[in-house]
Amino acid sequence: MTHIAAVDRSGALATYGPGNDSPMIEKLKRFVSGAGVPPAVQAEIIAELYPRSFRIGTSILTSIVTGSVLATIMHSWLPLAWMAVALALCGLRTIDWLHYQRAKETRTPSEWAFRFILGFAPFGIWWGTTAAVLLLSDDPLLMAIAVLATDAQGAGAVCSYPGHPPAALSFVVPAMMMFAIAGLIQGGAIGYSITFVEVVLIANYVIIIREFYRSTVRGLIARQEKSEMADHLAEAHLALKREGAAKSEFLAHMSHELRTPLNAILGFSDVILTETFGPLGSPKYTEYQHDIHAAAAHLLNIVNEVLDIARIEAGELTLQIDSVDPLDITRFAAKLIRQRALTKGLSFDVDVDPALDEKSIRTDEVRLKQALINVLSNAVKFTPVGGSVRLSAGIRDGVFFQVSDTGVGMTPEDLERALLPFVQVGRPMLAQEGSGLGLPLSRQLIERLGGRFHIESSVGVGTVVSITMPLA
């Protein structure tokens, strides 16, 4: 085991060996391994160092062509010997490539990067030995072939390994610097020109490598961040779906639990109101019993709405689709709501297009009536005394039902909130009883039926709700 002793700046003796490298060696290792880059990105960069085998194949082909041409022109065996060594180095790179393809998990990305440099740097150094042509021959053709072949290999290294500067530089620097040095030794116009060209090329390649590296790493990091963001969004979406399903299941369960006693209260209230088993006695009992019955009926209606919302969100709402007469829907809703509006002191008008007489729609009659009655009830509830409510029906892009009122109206912000379950909007002094499920439930029912639900509102003017169903 070898240790190196050195004196640091403070004069203290420092020992460097395996596991205790000098700062310079540590920096070199960090540079070669690509330390500082996120691990996932680093793994993608290393994967670019060991892609399909065509890059090694290109090196093999270039080595054969260069060695053969130089041997032919020089009439010497030396280029062939050079070619044999170059092919042997390509063989070692191929073995390393096969090892990576078969067992990439056995080493970390940093270790694979270091192995790649150890295999590629000798190849660059060996290509640099072709600079001996400048010293052994004055033939300009030989010089041009050697210089151009090496520079072309250098350009290939720069373009092939943009994400890992040490990989590209491990070929470019030794190979092209040898030509620059050989040009200085040879001297003369040709020698100095080769030195100048090689130095300029090295400088340009370093700049290109730096820009390629920055661009590649930024792109990989951005792609990695997008992938992670997509994973997080997918997880959040699944979590929301699970929470939504759990909420809907809970609401459905609780709604069923509440409906049973409420139905019992209503049933017994009816028995008491009809005095089935004899008179109640005091008239106050009858008055209180009416209140109990009305409160229980109201609560049961809220529970039913909650149950419907839960069923829709859980995708369990069952529909009974059949051919339905839109006139019947309009008359039924108007008859049910008219007396409530008149009792409150509102005017109630119905406007029906005669063209509806021969039209029909395919839908769930009960659910469509429920949605339309909810909208009408909302209009009556939020329209002050002396106002008006209007129900219109006709043909426009299908069969439409439109409810307009002269109520308090809503701002655009309130309008968005009004379509959320359990939300009531408006000024506190105008607050009304209810669960805040009328509009949200109506919209979801209509959309589930394949129709369109549209609402417009202005504060102090009123609200217009349109329901459009496709013709049968």
Side-chain angles (χ1 to χ4, degrees), residues 399-445:
V399 174
F400 75 88
F401 305 90
Q402 188 176 80
V403 178
S404 56
D405 63 59
T406 58
V408 294
M410 293 176 282
T411 64
E413 294 78 14
D414 285 342
L415 192 57
E416 291 183 10
R417 296 180 63 243
L419 294 175
L420 298 175
F422 307 106
V423 173
Q424 285 192 338
V425 298
R427 296 182 295 277
M429 67 183 65
L430 294 175
Q432 304 283 339
E433 65 174 14
S435 60
L437 288 174
L439 287 180
L441 178 58
S442 297
R443 184 185 69 168
Q444 293 191 40
L445 285 173

mmCIF file of all heavy atoms in Angstrom, residues 399-445:
data_model
loop_
_atom_site.group_PDB
_atom_site.id
_atom_site.type_symbol
_atom_site.label_atom_id
_atom_site.label_comp_id
_atom_site.label_asym_id
_atom_site.label_seq_id
_atom_site.Cartn_x
_atom_site.Cartn_y
_atom_site.Cartn_z
ATOM 1 N N VAL A 399 -84.019 21.201 -26.181
ATOM 2 C CA VAL A 399 -85.135 21.702 -25.366
ATOM 3 C C VAL A 399 -84.547 22.435 -24.161
ATOM 4 O O VAL A 399 -83.716 21.886 -23.442
ATOM 5 C CB VAL A 399 -86.041 20.552 -24.895
ATOM 6 C CG1 VAL A 399 -87.098 21.071 -23.931
ATOM 7 C CG2 VAL A 399 -86.693 19.864 -26.084
ATOM 8 N N PHE A 400 -84.986 23.691 -23.975
ATOM 9 C CA PHE A 400 -84.443 24.447 -22.846
ATOM 10 C C PHE A 400 -85.547 24.771 -21.841
ATOM 11 O O PHE A 400 -86.717 24.944 -22.195
ATOM 12 C CB PHE A 400 -83.779 25.738 -23.316
ATOM 13 C CG PHE A 400 -84.731 26.823 -23.722
ATOM 14 C CD1 PHE A 400 -85.236 27.740 -22.789
ATOM 15 C CD2 PHE A 400 -85.140 26.955 -25.043
ATOM 16 C CE1 PHE A 400 -86.108 28.739 -23.153
ATOM 17 C CE2 PHE A 400 -86.021 27.961 -25.416
ATOM 18 C CZ PHE A 400 -86.502 28.849 -24.479
ATOM 19 N N PHE A 401 -85.140 24.812 -20.574
ATOM 20 C CA PHE A 401 -85.978 25.290 -19.474
ATOM 21 C C PHE A 401 -85.219 26.439 -18.833
ATOM 22 O O PHE A 401 -84.067 26.272 -18.412
ATOM 23 C CB PHE A 401 -86.216 24.181 -18.439
ATOM 24 C CG PHE A 401 -86.798 22.926 -19.008
ATOM 25 C CD1 PHE A 401 -85.968 21.909 -19.469
ATOM 26 C CD2 PHE A 401 -88.172 22.754 -19.090
ATOM 27 C CE1 PHE A 401 -86.490 20.743 -19.990
ATOM 28 C CE2 PHE A 401 -88.713 21.588 -19.610
ATOM 29 C CZ PHE A 401 -87.864 20.578 -20.066
ATOM 30 N N GLN A 402 -85.861 27.593 -18.754
ATOM 31 C CA GLN A 402 -85.177 28.776 -18.230
ATOM 32 C C GLN A 402 -85.959 29.365 -17.061
ATOM 33 O O GLN A 402 -87.164 29.598 -17.164
ATOM 34 C CB GLN A 402 -85.004 29.822 -19.326
ATOM 35 C CG GLN A 402 -84.126 30.999 -18.916
ATOM 36 C CD GLN A 402 -83.910 31.947 -20.095
ATOM 37 O OE1 GLN A 402 -84.772 32.767 -20.407
ATOM 38 N NE2 GLN A 402 -82.762 31.820 -20.734
ATOM 39 N N VAL A 403 -85.254 29.594 -15.963
ATOM 40 C CA VAL A 403 -85.856 30.192 -14.771
ATOM 41 C C VAL A 403 -85.189 31.531 -14.528
ATOM 42 O O VAL A 403 -83.973 31.610 -14.334
ATOM 43 C CB VAL A 403 -85.673 29.283 -13.535
ATOM 44 C CG1 VAL A 403 -86.266 29.961 -12.293
ATOM 45 C CG2 VAL A 403 -86.316 27.925 -13.764
ATOM 46 N N SER A 404 -85.983 32.602 -14.561
ATOM 47 C CA SER A 404 -85.444 33.949 -14.323
ATOM 48 C C SER A 404 -86.184 34.574 -13.154
ATOM 49 O O SER A 404 -87.374 34.333 -12.952
ATOM 50 C CB SER A 404 -85.588 34.817 -15.576
ATOM 51 O OG SER A 404 -86.928 34.884 -15.997
ATOM 52 N N ASP A 405 -85.450 35.364 -12.380
ATOM 53 C CA ASP A 405 -86.071 36.014 -11.223
ATOM 54 C C ASP A 405 -85.524 37.430 -11.082
ATOM 55 O O ASP A 405 -84.553 37.807 -11.733
ATOM 56 C CB ASP A 405 -85.817 35.203 -9.946
ATOM 57 C CG ASP A 405 -84.345 35.111 -9.584
ATOM 58 O OD1 ASP A 405 -83.698 36.157 -9.373
ATOM 59 O OD2 ASP A 405 -83.814 33.983 -9.492
ATOM 60 N N THR A 406 -86.179 38.191 -10.235
ATOM 61 C CA THR A 406 -85.726 39.560 -9.937
ATOM 62 C C THR A 406 -85.201 39.614 -8.509
ATOM 63 O O THR A 406 -85.452 40.565 -7.770
ATOM 64 C CB THR A 406 -86.890 40.558 -10.118
ATOM 65 O OG1 THR A 406 -87.970 40.169 -9.247
ATOM 66 C CG2 THR A 406 -87.384 40.573 -11.550
ATOM 67 N N GLY A 407 -84.483 38.562 -8.132
ATOM 68 C CA GLY A 407 -83.994 38.457 -6.764
ATOM 69 C C GLY A 407 -82.762 39.289 -6.502
ATOM 70 O O GLY A 407 -82.422 40.210 -7.265
ATOM 71 N N VAL A 408 -82.056 38.952 -5.413
ATOM 72 C CA VAL A 408 -80.920 39.758 -4.965
ATOM 73 C C VAL A 408 -79.746 39.667 -5.914
ATOM 74 O O VAL A 408 -78.915 40.576 -5.999
ATOM 75 C CB VAL A 408 -80.481 39.324 -3.553
ATOM 76 C CG1 VAL A 408 -81.554 39.646 -2.543
ATOM 77 C CG2 VAL A 408 -80.131 37.835 -3.515
ATOM 78 N N GLY A 409 -79.622 38.561 -6.680
ATOM 79 C CA GLY A 409 -78.514 38.405 -7.620
ATOM 80 C C GLY A 409 -77.208 38.074 -6.911
ATOM 81 O O GLY A 409 -77.108 38.068 -5.681
ATOM 82 N N MET A 410 -76.194 37.813 -7.722
ATOM 83 C CA MET A 410 -74.885 37.424 -7.182
ATOM 84 C C MET A 410 -73.765 38.059 -7.989
ATOM 85 O O MET A 410 -73.902 38.312 -9.192
ATOM 86 C CB MET A 410 -74.718 35.885 -7.237
ATOM 87 C CG MET A 410 -75.641 35.114 -6.325
ATOM 88 S SD MET A 410 -75.439 33.326 -6.538
ATOM 89 C CE MET A 410 -76.370 33.062 -8.060
ATOM 90 N N THR A 411 -72.642 38.294 -7.317
ATOM 91 C CA THR A 411 -71.435 38.762 -8.002
ATOM 92 C C THR A 411 -70.783 37.560 -8.690
ATOM 93 O O THR A 411 -71.088 36.403 -8.372
ATOM 94 C CB THR A 411 -70.449 39.357 -6.991
ATOM 95 O OG1 THR A 411 -70.020 38.322 -6.090
ATOM 96 C CG2 THR A 411 -71.079 40.483 -6.204
ATOM 97 N N PRO A 412 -69.846 37.789 -9.635
ATOM 98 C CA PRO A 412 -69.149 36.656 -10.274
ATOM 99 C C PRO A 412 -68.456 35.747 -9.258
ATOM 100 O O PRO A 412 -68.440 34.528 -9.420
ATOM 101 C CB PRO A 412 -68.135 37.351 -11.190
ATOM 102 C CG PRO A 412 -68.769 38.663 -11.520
ATOM 103 C CD PRO A 412 -69.493 39.066 -10.272
ATOM 104 N N GLU A 413 -67.892 36.347 -8.185
ATOM 105 C CA GLU A 413 -67.228 35.529 -7.163
ATOM 106 C C GLU A 413 -68.246 34.669 -6.418
ATOM 107 O O GLU A 413 -68.017 33.481 -6.163
ATOM 108 C CB GLU A 413 -66.476 36.429 -6.172
ATOM 109 C CG GLU A 413 -65.299 37.188 -6.765
ATOM 110 C CD GLU A 413 -65.735 38.400 -7.572
ATOM 111 O OE1 GLU A 413 -66.922 38.802 -7.458
ATOM 112 O OE2 GLU A 413 -64.908 38.930 -8.341
ATOM 113 N N ASP A 414 -69.410 35.297 -6.067
ATOM 114 C CA ASP A 414 -70.456 34.546 -5.375
ATOM 115 C C ASP A 414 -71.030 33.452 -6.267
ATOM 116 O O ASP A 414 -71.409 32.374 -5.792
ATOM 117 C CB ASP A 414 -71.576 35.483 -4.925
ATOM 118 C CG ASP A 414 -71.177 36.318 -3.715
ATOM 119 O OD1 ASP A 414 -70.196 35.927 -3.047
ATOM 120 O OD2 ASP A 414 -71.832 37.334 -3.448
ATOM 121 N N LEU A 415 -71.071 33.732 -7.573
ATOM 122 C CA LEU A 415 -71.627 32.764 -8.514
ATOM 123 C C LEU A 415 -70.801 31.476 -8.528
ATOM 124 O O LEU A 415 -71.340 30.373 -8.564
ATOM 125 C CB LEU A 415 -71.682 33.377 -9.908
ATOM 126 C CG LEU A 415 -72.498 32.623 -10.969
ATOM 127 C CD1 LEU A 415 -73.927 32.438 -10.494
ATOM 128 C CD2 LEU A 415 -72.459 33.376 -12.289
ATOM 129 N N GLU A 416 -69.483 31.631 -8.487
ATOM 130 C CA GLU A 416 -68.615 30.457 -8.449
ATOM 131 C C GLU A 416 -68.830 29.661 -7.168
ATOM 132 O O GLU A 416 -68.890 28.432 -7.183
ATOM 133 C CB GLU A 416 -67.145 30.881 -8.554
ATOM 134 C CG GLU A 416 -66.762 31.438 -9.909
ATOM 135 C CD GLU A 416 -65.279 31.769 -9.999
ATOM 136 O OE1 GLU A 416 -64.541 31.382 -9.062
ATOM 137 O OE2 GLU A 416 -64.863 32.398 -10.981
ATOM 138 N N ARG A 417 -68.959 30.375 -6.047
ATOM 139 C CA ARG A 417 -69.141 29.702 -4.767
ATOM 140 C C ARG A 417 -70.522 29.060 -4.670
ATOM 141 O O ARG A 417 -70.698 28.038 -3.997
ATOM 142 C CB ARG A 417 -68.940 30.690 -3.624
ATOM 143 C CG ARG A 417 -67.529 31.252 -3.538
ATOM 144 C CD ARG A 417 -67.376 32.237 -2.373
ATOM 145 N NE ARG A 417 -67.600 31.591 -1.094
ATOM 146 C CZ ARG A 417 -68.575 31.899 -0.266
ATOM 147 N NH1 ARG A 417 -69.456 32.849 -0.588
ATOM 148 N NH2 ARG A 417 -68.705 31.271 0.888
ATOM 149 N N ALA A 418 -71.516 29.649 -5.319
ATOM 150 C CA ALA A 418 -72.882 29.132 -5.237
ATOM 151 C C ALA A 418 -73.003 27.746 -5.857
ATOM 152 O O ALA A 418 -73.927 26.990 -5.532
ATOM 153 C CB ALA A 418 -73.855 30.091 -5.922
ATOM 154 N N LEU A 419 -72.076 27.410 -6.749
ATOM 155 C CA LEU A 419 -72.111 26.110 -7.399
ATOM 156 C C LEU A 419 -71.310 25.061 -6.639
ATOM 157 O O LEU A 419 -71.135 23.941 -7.119
ATOM 158 C CB LEU A 419 -71.590 26.233 -8.837
ATOM 159 C CG LEU A 419 -72.478 27.074 -9.765
ATOM 160 C CD1 LEU A 419 -71.826 27.254 -11.123
ATOM 161 C CD2 LEU A 419 -73.859 26.413 -9.925
ATOM 162 N N LEU A 420 -70.812 25.436 -5.447
ATOM 163 C CA LEU A 420 -70.105 24.484 -4.591
ATOM 164 C C LEU A 420 -71.086 23.933 -3.554
ATOM 165 O O LEU A 420 -71.901 24.676 -3.011
ATOM 166 C CB LEU A 420 -68.930 25.157 -3.877
ATOM 167 C CG LEU A 420 -67.825 25.722 -4.768
ATOM 168 C CD1 LEU A 420 -66.796 26.466 -3.905
ATOM 169 C CD2 LEU A 420 -67.152 24.612 -5.557
ATOM 170 N N PRO A 421 -71.015 22.629 -3.268
ATOM 171 C CA PRO A 421 -71.940 22.055 -2.284
ATOM 172 C C PRO A 421 -71.777 22.676 -0.896
ATOM 173 O O PRO A 421 -70.674 23.056 -0.494
ATOM 174 C CB PRO A 421 -71.539 20.562 -2.253
ATOM 175 C CG PRO A 421 -70.855 20.325 -3.561
ATOM 176 C CD PRO A 421 -70.161 21.617 -3.897
ATOM 177 N N PHE A 422 -72.875 22.817 -0.185
ATOM 178 C CA PHE A 422 -72.927 23.293 1.201
ATOM 179 C C PHE A 422 -72.504 24.755 1.354
ATOM 180 O O PHE A 422 -72.117 25.179 2.435
ATOM 181 C CB PHE A 422 -72.060 22.421 2.121
ATOM 182 C CG PHE A 422 -72.366 20.957 2.024
ATOM 183 C CD1 PHE A 422 -71.505 20.101 1.367
ATOM 184 C CD2 PHE A 422 -73.528 20.446 2.579
ATOM 185 C CE1 PHE A 422 -71.793 18.749 1.275
ATOM 186 C CE2 PHE A 422 -73.826 19.094 2.482
ATOM 187 C CZ PHE A 422 -72.953 18.243 1.828
ATOM 188 N N VAL A 423 -72.559 25.533 0.270
ATOM 189 C CA VAL A 423 -72.175 26.946 0.332
ATOM 190 C C VAL A 423 -73.404 27.789 0.032
ATOM 191 O O VAL A 423 -74.107 27.556 -0.955
ATOM 192 C CB VAL A 423 -71.051 27.272 -0.667
ATOM 193 C CG1 VAL A 423 -70.792 28.781 -0.694
ATOM 194 C CG2 VAL A 423 -69.779 26.519 -0.293
ATOM 195 N N GLN A 424 -73.652 28.790 0.900
ATOM 196 C CA GLN A 424 -74.704 29.772 0.644
ATOM 197 C C GLN A 424 -74.053 31.135 0.524
ATOM 198 O O GLN A 424 -73.140 31.471 1.292
ATOM 199 C CB GLN A 424 -75.732 29.787 1.780
ATOM 200 C CG GLN A 424 -76.677 28.596 1.762
ATOM 201 C CD GLN A 424 -77.844 28.784 2.711
ATOM 202 O OE1 GLN A 424 -77.771 29.562 3.645
ATOM 203 N NE2 GLN A 424 -78.937 28.072 2.457
ATOM 204 N N VAL A 425 -74.508 31.907 -0.446
ATOM 205 C CA VAL A 425 -73.919 33.225 -0.675
ATOM 206 C C VAL A 425 -74.971 34.285 -0.433
ATOM 207 O O VAL A 425 -76.170 34.013 -0.325
ATOM 208 C CB VAL A 425 -73.372 33.335 -2.115
ATOM 209 C CG1 VAL A 425 -72.280 32.322 -2.346
ATOM 210 C CG2 VAL A 425 -74.495 33.165 -3.132
ATOM 211 N N GLY A 426 -74.502 35.524 -0.376
ATOM 212 C CA GLY A 426 -75.427 36.630 -0.142
ATOM 213 C C GLY A 426 -75.126 37.324 1.160
ATOM 214 O O GLY A 426 -74.298 36.888 1.950
ATOM 215 N N ARG A 427 -75.811 38.419 1.400
ATOM 216 C CA ARG A 427 -75.596 39.179 2.628
ATOM 217 C C ARG A 427 -76.239 38.446 3.805
ATOM 218 O O ARG A 427 -77.288 37.814 3.660
ATOM 219 C CB ARG A 427 -76.194 40.583 2.476
ATOM 220 C CG ARG A 427 -75.503 41.407 1.401
ATOM 221 C CD ARG A 427 -76.080 42.813 1.318
ATOM 222 N NE ARG A 427 -77.471 42.838 0.901
ATOM 223 C CZ ARG A 427 -77.862 42.787 -0.368
ATOM 224 N NH1 ARG A 427 -76.965 42.687 -1.332
ATOM 225 N NH2 ARG A 427 -79.137 42.828 -0.679
ATOM 226 N N PRO A 428 -75.642 38.531 5.000
ATOM 227 C CA PRO A 428 -76.177 37.815 6.165
ATOM 228 C C PRO A 428 -77.646 38.101 6.424
ATOM 229 O O PRO A 428 -78.398 37.221 6.801
ATOM 230 C CB PRO A 428 -75.287 38.302 7.311
ATOM 231 C CG PRO A 428 -74.000 38.708 6.653
ATOM 232 C CD PRO A 428 -74.382 39.253 5.321
ATOM 233 N N MET A 429 -78.063 39.329 6.191
ATOM 234 C CA MET A 429 -79.453 39.675 6.513
ATOM 235 C C MET A 429 -80.433 38.988 5.556
ATOM 236 O O MET A 429 -81.611 38.892 5.853
ATOM 237 C CB MET A 429 -79.642 41.198 6.442
ATOM 238 C CG MET A 429 -79.505 41.775 5.044
ATOM 239 S SD MET A 429 -79.642 43.580 5.035
ATOM 240 C CE MET A 429 -78.217 44.058 5.958
ATOM 241 N N LEU A 430 -79.907 38.518 4.425
ATOM 242 C CA LEU A 430 -80.763 37.846 3.456
ATOM 243 C C LEU A 430 -80.596 36.336 3.519
ATOM 244 O O LEU A 430 -81.056 35.612 2.659
ATOM 245 C CB LEU A 430 -80.454 38.337 2.035
ATOM 246 C CG LEU A 430 -80.789 39.804 1.765
ATOM 247 C CD1 LEU A 430 -80.319 40.185 0.367
ATOM 248 C CD2 LEU A 430 -82.269 40.070 1.937
ATOM 249 N N ALA A 431 -79.878 35.852 4.521
ATOM 250 C CA ALA A 431 -79.618 34.423 4.614
ATOM 251 C C ALA A 431 -80.933 33.664 4.724
ATOM 252 O O ALA A 431 -81.859 34.085 5.410
ATOM 253 C CB ALA A 431 -78.738 34.115 5.828
ATOM 254 N N GLN A 432 -81.014 32.514 4.028
ATOM 255 C CA GLN A 432 -82.210 31.700 4.028
ATOM 256 C C GLN A 432 -81.877 30.317 4.564
ATOM 257 O O GLN A 432 -80.746 29.889 4.570
ATOM 258 C CB GLN A 432 -82.749 31.572 2.588
ATOM 259 C CG GLN A 432 -83.018 32.903 1.906
ATOM 260 C CD GLN A 432 -84.295 33.546 2.388
ATOM 261 O OE1 GLN A 432 -85.169 32.868 2.923
ATOM 262 N NE2 GLN A 432 -84.418 34.843 2.214
ATOM 263 N N GLU A 433 -82.935 29.625 4.981
ATOM 264 C CA GLU A 433 -82.706 28.253 5.429
ATOM 265 C C GLU A 433 -82.352 27.376 4.233
ATOM 266 O O GLU A 433 -82.703 27.655 3.098
ATOM 267 C CB GLU A 433 -83.957 27.711 6.135
ATOM 268 C CG GLU A 433 -85.156 27.577 5.195
ATOM 269 C CD GLU A 433 -86.339 26.919 5.870
ATOM 270 O OE1 GLU A 433 -86.337 26.805 7.101
ATOM 271 O OE2 GLU A 433 -87.267 26.531 5.141
ATOM 272 N N GLY A 434 -81.686 26.286 4.509
ATOM 273 C CA GLY A 434 -81.325 25.355 3.439
ATOM 274 C C GLY A 434 -79.903 24.854 3.634
ATOM 275 O O GLY A 434 -79.161 25.336 4.491
ATOM 276 N N SER A 435 -79.555 23.862 2.807
ATOM 277 C CA SER A 435 -78.248 23.217 2.936
ATOM 278 C C SER A 435 -77.228 23.773 1.968
ATOM 279 O O SER A 435 -76.040 23.453 2.069
ATOM 280 C CB SER A 435 -78.403 21.713 2.671
ATOM 281 O OG SER A 435 -78.903 21.507 1.348
ATOM 282 N N GLY A 436 -77.653 24.586 0.997
ATOM 283 C CA GLY A 436 -76.716 25.064 -0.007
ATOM 284 C C GLY A 436 -76.429 24.017 -1.062
ATOM 285 O O GLY A 436 -75.403 24.076 -1.743
ATOM 286 N N LEU A 437 -77.349 23.053 -1.231
ATOM 287 C CA LEU A 437 -77.138 21.969 -2.201
ATOM 288 C C LEU A 437 -77.982 22.119 -3.456
ATOM 289 O O LEU A 437 -77.805 21.359 -4.406
ATOM 290 C CB LEU A 437 -77.458 20.615 -1.544
ATOM 291 C CG LEU A 437 -76.452 20.107 -0.511
ATOM 292 C CD1 LEU A 437 -76.981 18.847 0.153
ATOM 293 C CD2 LEU A 437 -75.114 19.829 -1.162
ATOM 294 N N GLY A 438 -78.924 23.065 -3.471
ATOM 295 C CA GLY A 438 -79.868 23.166 -4.584
ATOM 296 C C GLY A 438 -79.203 23.308 -5.940
ATOM 297 O O GLY A 438 -79.361 22.471 -6.835
ATOM 298 N N LEU A 439 -78.437 24.397 -6.128
ATOM 299 C CA LEU A 439 -77.790 24.632 -7.423
ATOM 300 C C LEU A 439 -76.717 23.599 -7.741
ATOM 301 O O LEU A 439 -76.676 23.086 -8.871
ATOM 302 C CB LEU A 439 -77.208 26.044 -7.458
ATOM 303 C CG LEU A 439 -78.205 27.198 -7.592
ATOM 304 C CD1 LEU A 439 -77.482 28.540 -7.604
ATOM 305 C CD2 LEU A 439 -79.028 27.046 -8.873
ATOM 306 N N PRO A 440 -75.804 23.273 -6.798
ATOM 307 C CA PRO A 440 -74.792 22.266 -7.123
ATOM 308 C C PRO A 440 -75.399 20.922 -7.523
ATOM 309 O O PRO A 440 -74.950 20.295 -8.478
ATOM 310 C CB PRO A 440 -73.990 22.141 -5.817
ATOM 311 C CG PRO A 440 -74.212 23.422 -5.099
ATOM 312 C CD PRO A 440 -75.593 23.843 -5.454
ATOM 313 N N LEU A 441 -76.444 20.500 -6.790
ATOM 314 C CA LEU A 441 -77.075 19.225 -7.108
ATOM 315 C C LEU A 441 -77.761 19.282 -8.472
ATOM 316 O O LEU A 441 -77.655 18.339 -9.275
ATOM 317 C CB LEU A 441 -78.081 18.855 -6.019
ATOM 318 C CG LEU A 441 -78.860 17.553 -6.236
ATOM 319 C CD1 LEU A 441 -77.913 16.372 -6.370
ATOM 320 C CD2 LEU A 441 -79.847 17.318 -5.088
ATOM 321 N N SER A 442 -78.439 20.395 -8.763
ATOM 322 C CA SER A 442 -79.114 20.545 -10.055
ATOM 323 C C SER A 442 -78.110 20.491 -11.197
ATOM 324 O O SER A 442 -78.329 19.813 -12.216
ATOM 325 C CB SER A 442 -79.896 21.861 -10.102
ATOM 326 O OG SER A 442 -80.913 21.874 -9.128
ATOM 327 N N ARG A 443 -76.998 21.205 -11.046
ATOM 328 C CA ARG A 443 -75.993 21.205 -12.109
ATOM 329 C C ARG A 443 -75.437 19.796 -12.335
ATOM 330 O O ARG A 443 -75.329 19.336 -13.481
ATOM 331 C CB ARG A 443 -74.846 22.151 -11.767
ATOM 332 C CG ARG A 443 -73.812 22.254 -12.888
ATOM 333 C CD ARG A 443 -72.626 23.085 -12.498
ATOM 334 N NE ARG A 443 -71.819 22.434 -11.472
ATOM 335 C CZ ARG A 443 -70.598 22.845 -11.116
ATOM 336 N NH1 ARG A 443 -70.072 23.906 -11.696
ATOM 337 N NH2 ARG A 443 -69.926 22.218 -10.181
ATOM 338 N N GLN A 444 -75.114 19.090 -11.246
ATOM 339 C CA GLN A 444 -74.546 17.748 -11.394
ATOM 340 C C GLN A 444 -75.562 16.780 -11.989
ATOM 341 O O GLN A 444 -75.206 15.909 -12.795
ATOM 342 C CB GLN A 444 -74.034 17.245 -10.044
ATOM 343 C CG GLN A 444 -72.828 18.031 -9.538
ATOM 344 C CD GLN A 444 -72.160 17.361 -8.351
ATOM 345 O OE1 GLN A 444 -72.023 16.147 -8.314
ATOM 346 N NE2 GLN A 444 -71.742 18.151 -7.364
ATOM 347 N N LEU A 445 -76.821 16.923 -11.616
ATOM 348 C CA LEU A 445 -77.847 16.054 -12.187
ATOM 349 C C LEU A 445 -77.992 16.290 -13.690
ATOM 350 O O LEU A 445 -78.051 15.331 -14.477
ATOM 351 C CB LEU A 445 -79.195 16.298 -11.494
ATOM 352 C CG LEU A 445 -79.359 15.717 -10.078
ATOM 353 C CD1 LEU A 445 -80.680 16.185 -9.472
ATOM 354 C CD2 LEU A 445 -79.310 14.188 -10.112
#
